[in-house]
Amino acid sequence: MTGTVTAWRVLAGCVGVAYPRLMVSNEAERTTLVLALVQMECSEDPDDNLARALEGVEQAARDGARLVCLPELFRSRYFCQREDPAHFALAEPIPGPTTEALSKRAAELGVVIVASIFERRAEGLYHNTAVTFDADGSVAGRYRKMHIPDDPLYYEKFYFAPGDLGFSAPETRCGRIGTLVCWDQWFPEAARLTALSGAELLLYPTAIGWQFDEGSEVDAAQHSAWETIQRGHAIANGIFVAAVNRVGVEGEIRFWGQSFVADPFGRVIARAPADRETTLLVECDLGLIGRTRRDWPFLRDRRIDAYADLAKRFRD
Amino acid sequence: MTGTVTAWRVLAGCVGVAYPRLMVSNEAERTTLVLALVQMECSEDPDDNLARALEGVEQAARDGARLVCLPELFRSRYFCQREDPAHFALAEPIPGPTTEALSKRAAELGVVIVASIFERRAEGLYHNTAVTFDADGSVAGRYRKMHIPDDPLYYEKFYFAPGDLGFSAPETRCGRIGTLVCWDQWFPEAARLTALSGAELLLYPTAIGWQFDEGSEVDAAQHSAWETIQRGHAIANGIFVAAVNRVGVEGEIRFWGQSFVADPFGRVIARAPADRETTLLVECDLGLIGRTRRDWPFLRDRRIDAYADLAKRFRD
C-alpha cells in the first residue's frame, strides 16, 4: 500500500492548481484512488462529533486519502430509536453549519468528502441526506435517502421524507462517486441505477447494529447478509462498494462497525473491526472496473426490454 | 431432516388423488419442501445422460424429495465451448423425447421436476429452456433463458435466441417455483422480477466452471462471486435460491459443481462438493420466507416511482 500512497504525495502539490483528478495514473489502465472510511462513535454532543469527524478527515488526508466518507448522521446519536418530535431540533439546512465546516475543510485539505446530514428542507420537511463536497469545497452532489426504513428501533419514516432527487453519481476530482444511505443497501435497484449513472465507487454511510435480544447466531447472520448483499452489488455492477458504519452502544443498539470496501469482483479488500473507531485507508485500483466488466460483461446483456415490471410493487 | 422426510412419506399416499400441495404443514407458519439438486457429470452420450438423470430423479424421490432440479443442458456435453452448426442436431422440440420422458417420470413418482432443454422452436430458432413439470406430469411452466452469455468458451449467443417469455413463477404442487438459467444468475433484475411473480424458490440450472489458465486465486474469486451474488438475490427478495451445476472436465472447462441452496437470509444451508456427482437433498422451511420478509420488509419500501431508468442501457 505504501508505494502508491507515496506516489500520491508527489502529486499532492498540484491540488487546487489545475484541478487534476486526485489520483495516480501509472499506466493507461491503472488509476488508484485512496479512499478513507471514518468509522466513529457518536456521542451525545453534536459539536464533539463534528470536531472528531473533522479530525478524522484531516488525519485521513494526511495519510494520503483523497476521498473521505463519514458514517450516517454522524453529528448525533442515532435518534431514530424513538419517535420524539424534540429530535427534529437536530436537523439543519443545507447549506448550514455542518456543510459549511465540511466544505471549508475539503477545500483546505484538497480532498473529496461525503457526509451524511439530517437535512431540514422546510418547516416540517426533513431528509436523510448525503452531501458530496468536491476537493475545492464546492458541493458536487446531494443525495436524499430514497428507501426509508421503519422497523423497531429504526423509526425513520417518522423523521425523513423519502428522497426526491433520485439516483446519481456526481463527477468529482476523485471520479464519479455514487452515494446511497444505509437501508438503500438492501435494494439492488438503487445500486444498479447509481452504477448506470456512471459511478465508479458506491458509498453507503450507515448506522446499523445488533439488538440486544436476538442471540449470536442471528447477529452473525444479519451481519453476513448485510455484507453479502453489498458484495453482490459490487459484482452485479462491476464497481467498488464501501459502507461506513458507526460503532458503540446507543440505547438498545450495538452498532456493528465493520465498515468495509469490496472490489468490483465482490472481494472484501478491507474491513474495520466491530468494536472500535477505525479509519480504514484503502487503495482502490479503478482500472479493475473496466477489466472486470470486460471479463463479465453484464451491462451488455441486461434485458432492458423486459424490465418494465420492476416499477411494479408486485406482479399479481 | 429425517423427521420431516418421514412425515412426508405419510402424506405420499395422497399424491394424485386430491392434488394436495406436496409439502408438510405442521403448523400455520411452517411448511417444509424437500428439494433435490441432481449435480451430475454429462457424458458424450445423450441417452446415457438422460438415463442417469432419470435415475437421479428416482433416487431423490425415494429419498423424500418432492421437487427435483437437473443441471443446465444435462443431455449433452456443454457444446457451447465452440461455435459449430453440427451441435444444433442436439436440440429437440417441446414436447419432445426428453420432455416426454421427464413428464412420465414426474407423474409416476409424483414429484415436480425442473429440467433444462436445448429447445428447437422452429428451423433455425433455438432456445435454452427450463421446463417445470408438475407432479401429475403436466407442464406447469416454461422459461426461455433471457440473458445469453457470449464469452470465450461460452458462445451461447451463437446457439440460443434470447428468451421471449419473460419472468414467471408457475404454481406447482410444491408451491410457486421460479426458474432462471445460469447467466441469469448475475442479473438482480431477473431474480427480482421472478420473486415479484410470487416465487418462493428460485432454481438456477447451471453449467459454470473454471478455465485452465487463470490460477487458483482467480478461480476462488470467481466461485465466491457466483455464490455471493445468488445469496444476495435470496436476501434482497427473502426467498430460497438454489443453483444446480454439473461437474467434470469437458474440453477447456472444469465445471465447479458446488450446487447449493441459500435460505431467505442468504445462508448457504447445503452445498455439494466441487469434484463429484452428488444429489443434494435439502429441507426448505418455506415459513422462513414470510418471517424473513416481516423482519426485513424490503418489498414494502421499494421506490417503484423511481425505477423507470432500470429499463435503460446506461444513463448517459
Side-chain angles (χ1 to χ4, degrees):
Chain A
M1 170 139 177
T2 44
T4 310
V5 171
T6 306
W8 219 98
R9 285 177 176 146
V10 174
L11 274 192
C14 317
V15 171
V17 179
Y19 297 93
R21 277 191 145 205
L22 295 176
M23 294 174 291
V24 178
S25 202
N26 297 327
E27 50 186 88
E29 291 240 51
R30 187 160 202 284
T31 308
T32 297
L33 165 65
V34 184
L35 163 69
L37 309 182
V38 181
Q39 173 172 299
M40 58 186 280
E41 196 157 348
C42 299
S43 74
E44 294 280 4
D45 177 359
D47 291 336
D48 167 61
N49 293 325
L50 180 58
R52 288 185 302 111
L54 291 170
E55 274 166 34
V57 171
E58 215 169 286
Q59 182 61 51
R62 274 199 303 272
D63 292 342
R66 306 329 299 167
L67 169 61
V68 187
C69 187
L70 297 165
E72 186 182 15
L73 301 170
F74 69 93
R75 282 219 62 177
S76 65
R77 290 285 168 106
Y78 182 68
F79 53 84
C80 312
Q81 288 193 55
R82 289 183 302 121
E83 297 195 359
D84 182 348
H87 289 148
F88 288 111
L90 293 166
E92 57 176 300
I94 299 176
T98 304
T99 60
E100 279 172 19
L102 290 163
S103 156
K104 187 161 167 280
R105 201 57 56 100
E108 285 166 6
L109 300 168
V111 294
V112 177
I113 301 175
V114 172
S116 163
I117 312 281
F118 183 11
E119 178 188 5
R120 187 175 72 233
R121 183 178 183 181
E123 290 302 331
L125 181 57
Y126 303 85
H127 293 283
N128 186 333
T129 301
V131 180
T132 303
F133 302 91
D134 212 342
D136 62 357
S138 65
V139 172
R142 184 192 304 203
Y143 168 78
R144 292 188 177 125
K145 188 172 182 173
M146 291 286 283
H147 301 95
I148 309 290
D150 193 294
D151 287 317
L153 303 181
Y154 296 86
Y155 300 105
E156 295 198 15
K157 288 193 198 299
F158 176 75
Y159 293 101
F160 310 122
D164 59 350
L165 299 176
F167 305 96
S168 63
E171 179 75 42
T172 73
R173 282 161 61 200
C174 290
R176 297 187 75 105
I177 307 301
T179 51
L180 294 168
V181 178
C182 206
W183 191 239
D184 293 321
Q185 285 156 341
W186 303 99
F187 299 84
E189 293 92 342
R192 178 71 94 199
L193 286 164
T194 308
L196 294 182
S197 305
E200 298 166 281
L201 169 68
L202 201 46
L203 285 174
Y204 290 96
T206 299
I208 191 167
W210 292 298
Q211 297 174 224
F212 275 99
D213 52 358
E214 299 191 291
S216 61
E217 198 179 323
V218 172
D219 285 1
Q222 285 182 343
H223 171 262
S224 172
W226 174 78
E227 192 177 87
T228 298
I229 198 166
Q230 292 176 84
R231 291 175 59 205
H233 303 331
I235 297 162
N237 296 293
I239 54 175
F240 286 87
V241 168
V244 196
N245 197 14
R246 63 174 69 192
V247 281
V249 172
E250 299 180 25
E252 299 301 309
I253 305 179
R254 292 170 290 132
F255 290 96
W256 70 42
Q258 300 181 75
S259 303
F260 72 95
V261 182
D263 77 6
F265 226 75
R267 291 175 289 219
V268 173
I269 55 175
R271 187 190 293 112
D275 58 354
R276 59 184 187 277
E277 295 194 324
T278 309
T279 293
L280 215 53
L281 213 74
V282 187
E283 283 194 353
C284 300
D285 169 10
L286 299 184
L288 254 182
I289 296 168
R291 294 198 299 277
T292 304
R293 288 185 182 174
R294 278 195 296 271
D295 283 352
W296 274 349
F298 308 138
L299 295 189
R300 180 193 67 190
D301 291 336
R302 295 177 66 241
R303 286 296 303 272
I304 56 174
D305 60 312
Y307 292 166
D309 280 2
L310 290 169
K312 286 191 178 165
R313 184 68 65 206
F314 205 69
R315 303 175 86 196
D316 50 6
Chain B
M1 170 139 176
T2 44
T4 309
V5 171
T6 307
W8 219 96
R9 287 177 174 147
V10 173
L11 274 191
C14 317
V15 170
V17 181
Y19 298 92
R21 279 194 143 204
L22 294 176
M23 293 174 293
V24 180
S25 203
N26 297 327
E27 50 187 85
E29 291 240 50
R30 187 160 201 283
T31 307
T32 298
L33 165 65
V34 184
L35 162 69
L37 309 181
V38 181
Q39 173 172 299
M40 57 184 280
E41 197 158 347
C42 299
S43 74
E44 294 281 5
D45 177 0
D47 292 337
D48 168 62
N49 292 326
L50 180 58
R52 288 186 301 112
L54 291 171
E55 273 165 36
V57 171
E58 215 169 286
Q59 182 62 51
R62 274 199 301 273
D63 291 343
R66 305 332 298 169
L67 169 62
V68 187
C69 187
L70 297 165
E72 186 182 14
L73 302 171
F74 69 94
R75 281 218 63 178
S76 66
R77 289 284 166 104
Y78 181 69
F79 54 84
C80 312
Q81 289 194 53
R82 289 183 302 122
E83 297 195 357
D84 182 349
H87 289 147
F88 287 112
L90 293 166
E92 58 176 300
I94 298 176
T98 304
T99 59
E100 279 172 20
L102 289 162
S103 155
K104 189 161 165 280
R105 203 55 58 100
E108 285 166 5
L109 299 168
V111 296
V112 176
I113 302 175
V114 172
S116 162
I117 313 280
F118 182 12
E119 179 189 4
R120 186 176 73 233
R121 184 176 182 182
E123 291 302 329
L125 181 57
Y126 303 85
H127 293 284
N128 186 333
T129 301
V131 180
T132 302
F133 302 92
D134 211 342
D136 62 357
S138 64
V139 171
R142 185 193 303 204
Y143 169 77
R144 292 189 177 124
K145 188 171 181 174
M146 291 287 281
H147 301 95
I148 309 291
D150 193 295
D151 286 317
L153 302 182
Y154 296 87
Y155 300 105
E156 295 198 16
K157 288 194 199 298
F158 176 74
Y159 293 101
F160 310 122
D164 59 350
L165 298 177
F167 305 96
S168 63
E171 178 75 40
T172 73
R173 282 160 61 202
C174 290
R176 297 186 75 106
I177 306 300
T179 51
L180 294 168
V181 177
C182 204
W183 192 240
D184 293 322
Q185 284 154 342
W186 304 99
F187 299 84
E189 293 92 342
R192 179 70 93 197
L193 285 164
T194 308
L196 294 181
S197 303
E200 297 166 282
L201 169 67
L202 201 46
L203 284 175
Y204 290 95
T206 298
I208 191 168
W210 293 298
Q211 298 173 223
F212 275 99
D213 53 356
E214 299 191 290
S216 61
E217 199 180 322
V218 172
D219 286 0
Q222 285 181 344
H223 171 261
S224 172
W226 173 78
E227 190 177 90
T228 298
I229 198 168
Q230 292 176 85
R231 292 174 59 203
H233 304 329
I235 297 161
N237 296 292
I239 54 174
F240 286 88
V241 168
V244 196
N245 197 14
R246 64 172 70 193
V247 280
V249 172
E250 300 180 25
E252 300 301 309
I253 306 179
R254 292 170 290 131
F255 290 97
W256 69 43
Q258 300 182 75
S259 304
F260 72 93
V261 181
D263 78 5
F265 226 75
R267 290 175 289 218
V268 174
I269 56 175
R271 186 191 293 112
D275 57 355
R276 60 185 185 276
E277 295 194 322
T278 308
T279 293
L280 216 53
L281 212 73
V282 188
E283 283 195 352
C284 300
D285 170 9
L286 300 183
L288 254 181
I289 297 168
R291 296 198 297 278
T292 304
R293 287 184 182 174
R294 278 196 294 271
D295 283 353
W296 274 349
F298 308 138
L299 295 189
R300 179 192 67 191
D301 290 337
R302 295 177 65 241
R303 287 297 302 273
I304 55 174
D305 60 311
Y307 292 166
D309 280 2
L310 290 169
K312 287 192 177 165
R313 184 69 64 207
F314 204 70
R315 304 176 84 195
D316 48 7

